[in-house]
Amino acid sequence: MDRTFTAVLAAAAVLATTSCTVAGGGTPTTSPPTPSRTGADDREICRDIYRPGTEADLDPARNQKIGGRASLSTTPGMAEAGARLAAAAGQASITDSDPSDRLAMIEAQRDMAMVCRTLFGPGPW
């Protein structure tokens, strides 16, 4: 079994155990992250992470932006999960061909989704 196929299987297993899927698609923008000032900002971040019926979003640039926005949140748990997602996505963008870094990014997405679930209940948010 090659490493990419193994990584895809591992990513699917991670997502299957979270009872939610992660955002897909979209074009990253270059604007800097803005701080989260309200629960509505946190909810918007959660919507970016979780979109029912979509597959995991493996775009490091998009995930780094979402993580960066979340890391500025004043909500307990959101900032920490955002910082982990931004760091994992940054590493995945550096080592584009390493499946373990992609898997770490997917795990950080899952952690962010679990924070969202704790804050707002089961998605969609």
Side-chain angles (χ1 to χ4, degrees), residues 35-61:
S36 171
R37 293 173 298 281
T38 67
D41 292 336
D42 290 339
R43 190 176 295 270
E44 182 179 331
I45 291 166
C46 291
R47 285 184 184 130
D48 286 344
I49 282 292
Y50 175 72
R51 301 216 187 267
T54 62
E55 295 182 16
D57 180 4
L58 299 178
D59 178 14

Side-chain angles (χ1 to χ4, degrees), residues 47-97:
R47 285 184 184 130
D48 286 344
I49 282 292
Y50 175 72
R51 301 216 187 267
T54 62
E55 295 182 16
D57 180 4
L58 299 178
D59 178 14
R62 184 172 187 278
N63 281 285
Q64 199 166 14
K65 181 179 178 189
I66 292 169
R69 285 177 37 226
S71 71
L72 299 174
S73 175
T74 57
T75 304
M78 180 67 75
E80 294 82 3
R84 285 191 303 271
L85 178 58
Q91 183 63 31
S93 70
I94 293 169
T95 58
D96 188 45
S97 62

